[in-house]
Amino acid sequence: MSEKGAVTVARTVLQQCLRATLQVRPAEEDSEAQFVQIERGMVIYICFFKGATDDILPKMVSSLLNLRLCESDSGKMVSVAELPGSLLIVPQATLGGKCKGRAMQYHNNISKEDGLRLYGAFVSLCERELTAAAVTVKHGTYGNRQVLKLDTNGPYTHLMEF
Amino acid sequence: MSEKGAVTVARTVLQQCLRATLQVRPAEEDSEAQFVQIERGMVIYICFFKGATDDILPKMVSSLLNLRLCESDSGKMVSVAELPGSLLIVPQATLGGKCKGRAMQYHNNISKEDGLRLYGAFVSLCERELTAAAVTVKHGTYGNRQVLKLDTNGPYTHLMEF
């Protein structure tokens, strides 16, 4: 969680799943839609705000991947690496929304270019951290519509801000 | 969104769905699990914090039900009432979590008794508001594990705090 008074530069929502399927390429005239899928593990929805830089990524990744949010077979809470489970990372710019009247505005979101770069670096860092832990990392395509199916034994939704 | 400096008394996460199925009673020895289901519409995950009272509910309900977060057939963004869609309300105490080290703590969550009462009142108010709009309202059982399946055309996840 962000400290009181500190500026929030990234917002994540975490959900646990038994299976999650995400479209990574929409169907086109000559090609079918493409999907990635994970089994038991964690879904990270992520959004960066203006002011976010690469400096924040190691702390984010270390914090998110080591949180004990996953339920092991014995009912003990463990991290996704300890489960071992899978990880699905979903870019979700809507998380930066602030309501004004009945509409949502996204003025505080990072630029598309910087967001794409940070998202890519975040995914790479997660992959690197989890290589040794036999954790599969899948991720959505930045800027796409995140067509998602989620099957849970309780999403156990958490908010983590940085 | 809560004003700067104001105390947050409720946290909600909103996701759009094509279909959502939620367990409202787990299986027991002599009975099968029971589920509720909505088709196209919105899922509200909700958590109350210490200090929340009934006073906040009308503003919350009015704000959440009138936000233009749902995509109509024509691609226009409309409220769940205007869609018209369905609404699934999911109690989600985990949303009140604050990380301490690798664990989540929920010290700021409202007491179970007060949370149950506010959750019930929130559901009733949503039902009352949406009766005229041909919107189906379904909801989870407070205190249960929220076994959820979600099928989306983009969850379009938003955070709203009050």
Side-chain angles (χ1 to χ4, degrees):
Chain A
M1 291 273 164
S2 56
E3 303 277 315
K4 262 186 194 173
V7 176
T8 300
V9 294
R11 178 172 290 159
T12 62
V13 165
L14 314 174
Q15 292 189 315
Q16 306 304 308
C17 71
L18 297 177
R19 173 174 290 183
T21 308
L22 180 70
Q23 185 178 280
V24 290
R25 210 167 98 175
E28 290 176 19
E29 264 186 42
D30 54 354
S31 63
E32 291 190 359
Q34 287 179 13
F35 296 85
V36 292
Q37 183 169 302
I38 65 165
E39 304 298 323
R40 193 165 164 204
M42 184 161 78
V43 180
I44 301 180
Y45 306 88
I46 185 165
C47 172
F48 291 102
F49 293 113
K50 276 177 187 153
T53 62
D54 293 84
D55 298 351
I56 194 73
L57 297 179
K59 188 189 162 190
M60 283 181 73
V61 169
S62 163
S63 181
L64 293 172
L65 300 189
N66 287 302
L67 273 176
R68 296 198 192 98
L69 292 180
C70 305
E71 193 180 27
S72 73
D73 288 328
S74 64
K76 198 182 155 195
M77 299 310 288
V78 297
S79 73
V80 69
E82 292 165 332
L83 192 54
S86 303
L87 185 68
L88 177 65
I89 306 168
V90 183
Q92 192 81 159
T94 51
L95 271 179
K98 242 184 162 164
C99 85
K100 176 150 189 191
R102 298 182 54 202
M104 278 290 179
Q105 296 185 334
Y106 305 91
H107 297 322
N108 205 27
N109 278 29
I110 200 165
S111 73
K112 201 165 172 182
E113 297 70 31
D114 287 342
L116 173 59
R117 190 178 52 74
L118 284 176
Y119 174 70
F122 176 81
V123 169
S124 298
L125 213 50
C126 286
E127 286 171 338
R128 202 186 312 159
E129 284 293 312
L130 291 173
T131 303
V135 169
T136 310
V137 179
K138 306 275 184 179
H139 63 94
T141 309
Y142 191 88
N144 271 15
R145 177 186 283 257
Q146 305 300 320
V147 176
L148 175 76
K149 280 190 197 196
L150 198 65
D151 190 354
T152 83
N153 189 26
Y156 204 63
T157 315
H158 284 89
L159 173 72
M160 283 285 288
E161 293 181 327
F162 298 90
Chain B
M1 291 279 164
S2 56
E3 305 274 315
K4 261 186 198 174
V7 176
T8 301
V9 294
R11 177 172 291 157
T12 62
V13 165
L14 314 173
Q15 291 190 314
Q16 307 303 308
C17 71
L18 297 176
R19 173 174 291 183
T21 308
L22 179 70
Q23 186 179 281
V24 290
R25 210 167 97 175
E28 291 176 19
E29 262 186 43
D30 54 353
S31 63
E32 291 191 358
Q34 287 180 15
F35 296 86
V36 292
Q37 184 169 303
I38 65 165
E39 304 297 324
R40 193 165 164 206
M42 184 159 79
V43 179
I44 302 180
Y45 305 87
I46 185 166
C47 172
F48 292 102
F49 293 114
K50 276 176 188 154
T53 62
D54 293 84
D55 298 352
I56 194 72
L57 298 178
K59 187 188 163 192
M60 283 181 73
V61 170
S62 162
S63 181
L64 293 172
L65 300 188
N66 287 302
L67 273 176
R68 295 198 191 97
L69 291 180
C70 306
E71 192 179 27
S72 72
D73 288 329
S74 66
K76 197 182 155 195
M77 298 312 287
V78 297
S79 73
V80 68
E82 290 165 334
L83 192 55
S86 302
L87 185 67
L88 177 65
I89 306 168
V90 183
Q92 191 82 156
T94 51
L95 271 179
K98 242 183 162 164
C99 86
K100 175 149 189 193
R102 299 181 55 201
M104 278 289 179
Q105 297 185 331
Y106 305 92
H107 297 322
N108 206 25
N109 278 28
I110 200 166
S111 72
K112 201 163 173 183
E113 297 69 32
D114 287 344
L116 173 59
R117 190 178 51 75
L118 284 175
Y119 175 69
F122 177 81
V123 169
S124 298
L125 212 51
C126 286
E127 286 171 338
R128 202 186 312 159
E129 283 294 310
L130 292 172
T131 304
V135 169
T136 308
V137 179
K138 306 274 184 180
H139 64 94
T141 308
Y142 191 87
N144 271 17
R145 179 185 281 259
Q146 305 299 319
V147 177
L148 175 76
K149 279 189 195 199
L150 199 65
D151 190 354
T152 82
N153 189 27
Y156 204 64
T157 314
H158 284 88
L159 173 72
M160 283 286 287
E161 292 181 326
F162 298 90

